[in-house]
Amino acid sequence: MEELICNIEFSKESDTEYVAKLRTEMGGLREYTGRTFEDVLNQVIIELEEEFS
């Protein structure tokens, strides 16, 4: 059985800005921005580790 625990959307807003929108049941909707995709991905990973640990 599958259970949706989070929803993540990544987008490139401009040549110098990436955006991630993270939604979880506990934390609601949060948005992260960064100059590189790696920066934004790291922010999301850290947030998920903190929330689900």
Short mmCIF file of all heavy atoms in Angstrom, two decimals:
data_model
loop_
_atom_site.label_atom_id
_atom_site.label_comp_id
_atom_site.label_asym_id
_atom_site.label_seq_id
_atom_site.Cartn_x
_atom_site.Cartn_y
_atom_site.Cartn_z
N MET A 1 0.85 -1.19 0.00
CA MET A 1 0.00 0.00 0.00
C MET A 1 0.88 1.24 0.00
O MET A 1 1.85 1.33 0.75
CB MET A 1 -0.89 -0.02 1.23
CG MET A 1 -1.87 1.10 1.27
SD MET A 1 -3.13 0.76 2.50
CE MET A 1 -3.06 2.26 3.41
N GLU A 2 0.57 2.20 -0.84
CA GLU A 2 1.32 3.43 -0.93
C GLU A 2 0.70 4.51 -0.05
O GLU A 2 -0.51 4.56 0.13
CB GLU A 2 1.33 3.96 -2.37
CG GLU A 2 2.21 3.18 -3.29
CD GLU A 2 2.26 3.80 -4.67
OE1 GLU A 2 2.08 5.02 -4.81
OE2 GLU A 2 2.47 3.03 -5.61
N GLU A 3 1.58 5.35 0.48
CA GLU A 3 1.12 6.50 1.26
C GLU A 3 1.94 7.71 0.84
O GLU A 3 3.17 7.67 0.86
CB GLU A 3 1.33 6.24 2.75
CG GLU A 3 0.89 7.39 3.61
CD GLU A 3 1.14 7.14 5.09
OE1 GLU A 3 1.53 6.03 5.47
OE2 GLU A 3 0.97 8.09 5.85
N LEU A 4 1.28 8.76 0.43
CA LEU A 4 1.95 9.99 0.03
C LEU A 4 2.41 10.73 1.28
O LEU A 4 1.60 11.07 2.14
CB LEU A 4 1.01 10.89 -0.77
CG LEU A 4 1.59 12.19 -1.29
CD1 LEU A 4 2.72 11.91 -2.28
CD2 LEU A 4 0.52 13.03 -1.94
N ILE A 5 3.74 10.92 1.42
CA ILE A 5 4.26 11.61 2.61
C ILE A 5 4.72 13.03 2.30
O ILE A 5 4.82 13.85 3.20
CB ILE A 5 5.39 10.82 3.29
CG1 ILE A 5 6.53 10.59 2.33
CG2 ILE A 5 4.86 9.52 3.85
CD1 ILE A 5 7.76 10.01 2.97
N CYS A 6 5.03 13.31 1.03
CA CYS A 6 5.39 14.68 0.67
C CYS A 6 5.21 14.89 -0.82
O CYS A 6 5.14 13.93 -1.59
CB CYS A 6 6.82 15.01 1.10
SG CYS A 6 8.09 14.20 0.14
N ASN A 7 5.15 16.14 -1.20
CA ASN A 7 5.08 16.53 -2.60
C ASN A 7 6.13 17.60 -2.82
O ASN A 7 6.19 18.58 -2.06
CB ASN A 7 3.68 17.07 -2.92
CG ASN A 7 3.53 17.40 -4.39
OD1 ASN A 7 4.24 16.89 -5.23
ND2 ASN A 7 2.58 18.28 -4.68
N ILE A 8 6.99 17.41 -3.83
CA ILE A 8 8.06 18.38 -4.10
C ILE A 8 7.99 18.78 -5.57
O ILE A 8 7.95 17.92 -6.45
CB ILE A 8 9.45 17.77 -3.82
CG1 ILE A 8 9.52 17.19 -2.42
CG2 ILE A 8 10.52 18.84 -4.01
CD1 ILE A 8 10.75 16.34 -2.18
N GLU A 9 8.01 20.09 -5.82
CA GLU A 9 8.07 20.62 -7.18
C GLU A 9 9.33 21.44 -7.32
O GLU A 9 9.61 22.31 -6.48
CB GLU A 9 6.88 21.54 -7.47
CG GLU A 9 5.56 20.85 -7.57
CD GLU A 9 4.45 21.84 -7.89
OE1 GLU A 9 4.70 22.84 -8.60
OE2 GLU A 9 3.34 21.63 -7.41
N PHE A 10 10.10 21.18 -8.36
CA PHE A 10 11.29 21.96 -8.65
C PHE A 10 11.05 22.74 -9.93
O PHE A 10 10.48 22.21 -10.88
CB PHE A 10 12.51 21.05 -8.85
CG PHE A 10 12.94 20.32 -7.62
CD1 PHE A 10 12.55 19.02 -7.39
CD2 PHE A 10 13.74 20.94 -6.67
CE1 PHE A 10 12.95 18.34 -6.26
CE2 PHE A 10 14.14 20.28 -5.53
CZ PHE A 10 13.75 18.97 -5.33
N SER A 11 11.52 23.98 -9.95
CA SER A 11 11.41 24.78 -11.17
C SER A 11 12.61 25.71 -11.29
O SER A 11 13.28 26.02 -10.30
CB SER A 11 10.11 25.59 -11.19
OG SER A 11 10.06 26.48 -10.11
N LYS A 12 12.85 26.14 -12.50
CA LYS A 12 13.92 27.09 -12.77
C LYS A 12 13.25 28.40 -13.15
O LYS A 12 12.63 28.51 -14.21
CB LYS A 12 14.81 26.58 -13.90
CG LYS A 12 16.02 27.44 -14.14
CD LYS A 12 16.94 26.80 -15.16
CE LYS A 12 18.17 27.66 -15.35
NZ LYS A 12 19.08 27.09 -16.37
N GLU A 13 13.35 29.37 -12.26
CA GLU A 13 12.64 30.63 -12.45
C GLU A 13 13.37 31.58 -13.40
O GLU A 13 12.76 32.35 -14.10
CB GLU A 13 12.41 31.32 -11.10
CG GLU A 13 11.54 30.52 -10.15
CD GLU A 13 10.13 30.32 -10.66
OE1 GLU A 13 9.53 31.29 -11.15
OE2 GLU A 13 9.64 29.19 -10.59
N SER A 14 14.70 31.53 -13.39
CA SER A 14 15.51 32.36 -14.28
C SER A 14 16.85 31.67 -14.46
O SER A 14 17.05 30.56 -13.98
CB SER A 14 15.70 33.76 -13.68
OG SER A 14 16.48 33.69 -12.50
N ASP A 15 17.77 32.32 -15.14
CA ASP A 15 19.09 31.73 -15.33
C ASP A 15 19.85 31.56 -14.03
O ASP A 15 20.79 30.78 -13.95
CB ASP A 15 19.92 32.58 -16.29
CG ASP A 15 19.43 32.45 -17.73
OD1 ASP A 15 18.73 31.46 -18.03
OD2 ASP A 15 19.75 33.33 -18.54
N THR A 16 19.44 32.30 -13.00
CA THR A 16 20.20 32.28 -11.74
C THR A 16 19.37 31.89 -10.53
O THR A 16 19.83 32.04 -9.41
CB THR A 16 20.83 33.66 -11.47
OG1 THR A 16 19.78 34.63 -11.41
CG2 THR A 16 21.81 34.05 -12.56
N GLU A 17 18.15 31.39 -10.74
CA GLU A 17 17.32 31.05 -9.58
C GLU A 17 16.51 29.77 -9.80
O GLU A 17 15.79 29.65 -10.78
CB GLU A 17 16.36 32.18 -9.23
CG GLU A 17 15.57 31.89 -7.97
CD GLU A 17 14.66 33.03 -7.58
OE1 GLU A 17 13.80 33.42 -8.40
OE2 GLU A 17 14.81 33.53 -6.47
N TYR A 18 16.69 28.85 -8.85
CA TYR A 18 15.91 27.62 -8.81
C TYR A 18 14.98 27.69 -7.61
O TYR A 18 15.32 28.28 -6.60
CB TYR A 18 16.82 26.40 -8.66
CG TYR A 18 17.63 26.11 -9.90
CD1 TYR A 18 18.82 26.77 -10.15
CD2 TYR A 18 17.20 25.16 -10.83
CE1 TYR A 18 19.56 26.51 -11.29
CE2 TYR A 18 17.93 24.89 -11.96
CZ TYR A 18 19.11 25.57 -12.19
OH TYR A 18 19.85 25.31 -13.31
N VAL A 19 13.82 27.08 -7.75
CA VAL A 19 12.81 27.10 -6.68
C VAL A 19 12.32 25.68 -6.43
O VAL A 19 12.11 24.91 -7.36
CB VAL A 19 11.62 28.01 -7.07
CG1 VAL A 19 10.52 27.95 -6.02
CG2 VAL A 19 12.07 29.43 -7.28
N ALA A 20 12.15 25.35 -5.15
CA ALA A 20 11.54 24.09 -4.76
C ALA A 20 10.36 24.40 -3.86
O ALA A 20 10.48 25.22 -2.94
CB ALA A 20 12.53 23.21 -4.03
N LYS A 21 9.24 23.77 -4.13
CA LYS A 21 8.06 23.89 -3.27
C LYS A 21 7.84 22.52 -2.64
O LYS A 21 7.64 21.52 -3.33
CB LYS A 21 6.85 24.32 -4.08
CG LYS A 21 6.99 25.72 -4.64
CD LYS A 21 5.79 26.13 -5.42
CE LYS A 21 6.01 27.52 -5.99
NZ LYS A 21 4.89 27.95 -6.83
N LEU A 22 7.89 22.49 -1.33
CA LEU A 22 7.76 21.26 -0.55
C LEU A 22 6.49 21.33 0.27
O LEU A 22 6.26 22.29 0.99
CB LEU A 22 8.99 21.11 0.37
CG LEU A 22 8.93 20.03 1.44
CD1 LEU A 22 8.84 18.64 0.81
CD2 LEU A 22 10.14 20.13 2.35
N ARG A 23 5.67 20.28 0.16
CA ARG A 23 4.43 20.21 0.94
C ARG A 23 4.40 18.88 1.68
O ARG A 23 4.57 17.82 1.08
CB ARG A 23 3.20 20.33 0.06
CG ARG A 23 1.89 20.29 0.83
CD ARG A 23 0.68 20.29 -0.05
NE ARG A 23 0.61 21.42 -0.95
CZ ARG A 23 0.04 22.60 -0.67
NH1 ARG A 23 -0.51 22.78 0.50
NH2 ARG A 23 0.02 23.57 -1.56
N THR A 24 4.21 18.97 3.00
CA THR A 24 4.00 17.78 3.82
C THR A 24 2.79 18.02 4.70
O THR A 24 2.38 19.16 4.91
CB THR A 24 5.23 17.48 4.72
OG1 THR A 24 5.43 18.55 5.63
CG2 THR A 24 6.48 17.23 3.90
N GLU A 25 2.24 16.93 5.20
CA GLU A 25 1.06 17.05 6.07
C GLU A 25 1.40 17.79 7.36
O GLU A 25 0.64 18.63 7.82
CB GLU A 25 0.52 15.66 6.38
CG GLU A 25 -0.88 15.69 6.95
CD GLU A 25 -1.45 14.29 7.06
OE1 GLU A 25 -1.62 13.64 6.02
OE2 GLU A 25 -1.74 13.87 8.19
N MET A 26 2.57 17.51 7.93
CA MET A 26 2.95 18.14 9.20
C MET A 26 3.41 19.59 9.02
O MET A 26 3.08 20.45 9.80
CB MET A 26 4.07 17.34 9.88
CG MET A 26 3.64 16.00 10.38
SD MET A 26 4.88 15.13 11.36
CE MET A 26 6.25 15.03 10.24
N GLY A 27 4.20 19.84 7.98
CA GLY A 27 4.82 21.15 7.82
C GLY A 27 4.11 22.11 6.89
O GLY A 27 4.46 23.27 6.81
N GLY A 28 3.14 21.62 6.15
CA GLY A 28 2.45 22.47 5.20
C GLY A 28 3.31 22.77 3.99
O GLY A 28 4.22 22.02 3.65
N LEU A 29 3.06 23.91 3.35
CA LEU A 29 3.78 24.31 2.15
C LEU A 29 4.96 25.21 2.51
O LEU A 29 4.80 26.17 3.26
CB LEU A 29 2.84 25.04 1.19
CG LEU A 29 3.47 25.55 -0.10
CD1 LEU A 29 3.99 24.39 -0.94
CD2 LEU A 29 2.47 26.38 -0.88
N ARG A 30 6.13 24.86 1.98
CA ARG A 30 7.32 25.69 2.16
C ARG A 30 7.99 25.86 0.81
O ARG A 30 7.89 25.00 -0.05
CB ARG A 30 8.31 25.01 3.11
CG ARG A 30 7.78 25.03 4.55
CD ARG A 30 8.25 23.86 5.33
NE ARG A 30 7.57 22.67 4.82
CZ ARG A 30 7.81 21.46 5.26
NH1 ARG A 30 8.71 21.26 6.18
NH2 ARG A 30 7.16 20.42 4.80
N GLU A 31 8.69 26.98 0.65
CA GLU A 31 9.37 27.28 -0.61
C GLU A 31 10.83 27.62 -0.34
O GLU A 31 11.15 28.34 0.59
CB GLU A 31 8.67 28.46 -1.29
CG GLU A 31 9.14 28.69 -2.70
CD GLU A 31 8.28 29.71 -3.41
OE1 GLU A 31 7.06 29.47 -3.60
OE2 GLU A 31 8.83 30.76 -3.79
N TYR A 32 11.71 27.06 -1.18
CA TYR A 32 13.15 27.28 -1.05
C TYR A 32 13.69 27.79 -2.38
O TYR A 32 13.25 27.33 -3.44
CB TYR A 32 13.85 25.97 -0.67
CG TYR A 32 13.28 25.36 0.57
CD1 TYR A 32 12.27 24.42 0.50
CD2 TYR A 32 13.72 25.75 1.82
CE1 TYR A 32 11.71 23.87 1.65
CE2 TYR A 32 13.18 25.21 2.98
CZ TYR A 32 12.18 24.27 2.87
OH TYR A 32 11.63 23.74 4.02
N THR A 33 14.64 28.71 -2.31
CA THR A 33 15.26 29.23 -3.52
C THR A 33 16.77 29.13 -3.40
O THR A 33 17.32 29.13 -2.30
CB THR A 33 14.86 30.70 -3.78
OG1 THR A 33 15.29 31.49 -2.67
CG2 THR A 33 13.37 30.86 -3.96
N GLY A 34 17.43 29.07 -4.55
CA GLY A 34 18.88 29.02 -4.56
C GLY A 34 19.42 29.30 -5.94
O GLY A 34 18.70 29.28 -6.93
N ARG A 35 20.72 29.54 -5.99
CA ARG A 35 21.38 29.85 -7.27
C ARG A 35 21.60 28.61 -8.13
O ARG A 35 21.70 28.72 -9.34
CB ARG A 35 22.70 30.55 -7.03
CG ARG A 35 22.55 31.94 -6.48
CD ARG A 35 23.90 32.58 -6.29
NE ARG A 35 23.74 33.92 -5.79
CZ ARG A 35 24.09 35.00 -6.47
NH1 ARG A 35 24.65 34.89 -7.64
NH2 ARG A 35 23.89 36.19 -5.95
N THR A 36 21.71 27.44 -7.47
CA THR A 36 21.90 26.20 -8.23
C THR A 36 20.85 25.19 -7.79
O THR A 36 20.29 25.28 -6.70
CB THR A 36 23.30 25.60 -8.00
OG1 THR A 36 23.41 25.19 -6.63
CG2 THR A 36 24.41 26.59 -8.34
N PHE A 37 20.63 24.20 -8.65
CA PHE A 37 19.70 23.13 -8.31
C PHE A 37 20.19 22.38 -7.07
O PHE A 37 19.40 22.02 -6.21
CB PHE A 37 19.54 22.18 -9.49
CG PHE A 37 18.64 21.03 -9.19
CD1 PHE A 37 17.26 21.21 -9.15
CD2 PHE A 37 19.14 19.77 -8.94
CE1 PHE A 37 16.42 20.15 -8.85
CE2 PHE A 37 18.32 18.71 -8.65
CZ PHE A 37 16.95 18.89 -8.61
N GLU A 38 21.50 22.18 -7.00
CA GLU A 38 22.08 21.47 -5.85
C GLU A 38 21.80 22.19 -4.53
O GLU A 38 21.50 21.56 -3.52
CB GLU A 38 23.58 21.31 -6.05
CG GLU A 38 24.23 20.45 -4.97
CD GLU A 38 25.70 20.24 -5.24
OE1 GLU A 38 26.47 21.20 -5.10
OE2 GLU A 38 26.06 19.10 -5.58
N ASP A 39 21.88 23.53 -4.53
CA ASP A 39 21.58 24.31 -3.33
C ASP A 39 20.15 24.06 -2.85
O ASP A 39 19.90 23.83 -1.67
CB ASP A 39 21.76 25.81 -3.58
CG ASP A 39 23.20 26.24 -3.72
OD1 ASP A 39 24.10 25.48 -3.29
OD2 ASP A 39 23.43 27.34 -4.26
N VAL A 40 19.23 24.11 -3.79
CA VAL A 40 17.81 23.93 -3.46
C VAL A 40 17.55 22.50 -3.02
O VAL A 40 16.85 22.26 -2.03
CB VAL A 40 16.93 24.32 -4.67
CG1 VAL A 40 15.47 24.01 -4.40
CG2 VAL A 40 17.10 25.78 -5.00
N LEU A 41 18.13 21.55 -3.70
CA LEU A 41 17.96 20.15 -3.34
C LEU A 41 18.48 19.87 -1.93
O LEU A 41 17.83 19.19 -1.14
CB LEU A 41 18.66 19.25 -4.36
CG LEU A 41 18.54 17.75 -4.14
CD1 LEU A 41 17.08 17.31 -4.15
CD2 LEU A 41 19.34 17.01 -5.21
N ASN A 42 19.63 20.43 -1.59
CA ASN A 42 20.18 20.25 -0.25
C ASN A 42 19.27 20.84 0.82
O ASN A 42 19.10 20.24 1.89
CB ASN A 42 21.58 20.86 -0.15
CG ASN A 42 22.63 20.01 -0.83
OD1 ASN A 42 22.50 18.80 -0.92
ND2 ASN A 42 23.68 20.65 -1.31
N GLN A 43 18.67 21.99 0.55
CA GLN A 43 17.74 22.60 1.51
C GLN A 43 16.55 21.68 1.75
O GLN A 43 16.11 21.50 2.89
CB GLN A 43 17.25 23.95 1.00
CG GLN A 43 18.31 25.03 0.96
CD GLN A 43 17.75 26.31 0.37
OE1 GLN A 43 16.77 26.86 0.87
NE2 GLN A 43 18.37 26.78 -0.70
N VAL A 44 16.02 21.10 0.69
CA VAL A 44 14.87 20.20 0.80
C VAL A 44 15.25 18.94 1.57
O VAL A 44 14.51 18.49 2.45
CB VAL A 44 14.31 19.86 -0.60
CG1 VAL A 44 13.27 18.75 -0.51
CG2 VAL A 44 13.72 21.10 -1.26
N ILE A 45 16.42 18.37 1.26
CA ILE A 45 16.87 17.17 1.96
C ILE A 45 17.00 17.43 3.45
O ILE A 45 16.55 16.62 4.27
CB ILE A 45 18.20 16.67 1.36
CG1 ILE A 45 17.97 16.11 -0.05
CG2 ILE A 45 18.85 15.63 2.26
CD1 ILE A 45 19.24 15.83 -0.82
N ILE A 46 17.63 18.53 3.82
CA ILE A 46 17.80 18.87 5.24
C ILE A 46 16.45 19.01 5.93
O ILE A 46 16.23 18.49 7.03
CB ILE A 46 18.65 20.14 5.39
CG1 ILE A 46 20.10 19.85 4.99
CG2 ILE A 46 18.57 20.69 6.81
CD1 ILE A 46 20.96 21.10 4.82
N GLU A 47 15.53 19.69 5.28
CA GLU A 47 14.20 19.89 5.86
C GLU A 47 13.49 18.56 6.07
O GLU A 47 12.90 18.31 7.12
CB GLU A 47 13.37 20.80 4.96
CG GLU A 47 12.02 21.16 5.52
CD GLU A 47 12.09 22.07 6.73
OE1 GLU A 47 13.08 22.81 6.89
OE2 GLU A 47 11.13 22.05 7.52
N LEU A 48 13.55 17.67 5.09
CA LEU A 48 12.89 16.37 5.21
C LEU A 48 13.55 15.50 6.27
O LEU A 48 12.86 14.81 7.03
CB LEU A 48 12.90 15.65 3.85
CG LEU A 48 11.96 16.24 2.81
CD1 LEU A 48 12.19 15.57 1.46
CD2 LEU A 48 10.51 16.13 3.23
N GLU A 49 14.87 15.55 6.36
CA GLU A 49 15.57 14.78 7.41
C GLU A 49 15.14 15.24 8.79
O GLU A 49 14.90 14.43 9.69
CB GLU A 49 17.08 14.93 7.26
CG GLU A 49 17.65 14.13 6.12
CD GLU A 49 19.14 14.36 5.93
OE1 GLU A 49 19.68 15.40 6.39
OE2 GLU A 49 19.78 13.50 5.29
N GLU A 50 15.03 16.55 8.98
CA GLU A 50 14.63 17.09 10.28
C GLU A 50 13.18 16.72 10.60
O GLU A 50 12.85 16.39 11.73
CB GLU A 50 14.81 18.61 10.31
CG GLU A 50 16.26 19.05 10.34
CD GLU A 50 16.42 20.56 10.26
OE1 GLU A 50 15.40 21.28 10.15
OE2 GLU A 50 17.57 21.00 10.29
N GLU A 51 12.33 16.80 9.61
CA GLU A 51 10.91 16.55 9.85
C GLU A 51 10.61 15.07 10.12
O GLU A 51 9.75 14.74 10.95
CB GLU A 51 10.08 17.03 8.65
CG GLU A 51 8.59 16.95 8.90
CD GLU A 51 7.78 17.67 7.86
OE1 GLU A 51 8.22 18.71 7.34
OE2 GLU A 51 6.68 17.20 7.57
N PHE A 52 11.30 14.18 9.44
CA PHE A 52 10.96 12.76 9.53
C PHE A 52 11.92 11.95 10.40
O PHE A 52 11.83 10.74 10.45
CB PHE A 52 10.87 12.13 8.14
CG PHE A 52 9.68 12.65 7.37
CD1 PHE A 52 9.83 13.58 6.35
CD2 PHE A 52 8.40 12.21 7.68
CE1 PHE A 52 8.74 14.06 5.64
CE2 PHE A 52 7.30 12.69 7.00
CZ PHE A 52 7.47 13.62 5.97
N SER A 53 12.82 12.63 11.11
CA SER A 53 13.73 11.87 11.99
C SER A 53 13.17 11.76 13.39
O SER A 53 12.23 12.34 13.79
CB SER A 53 15.09 12.53 12.04
OG SER A 53 15.02 13.83 12.57
#
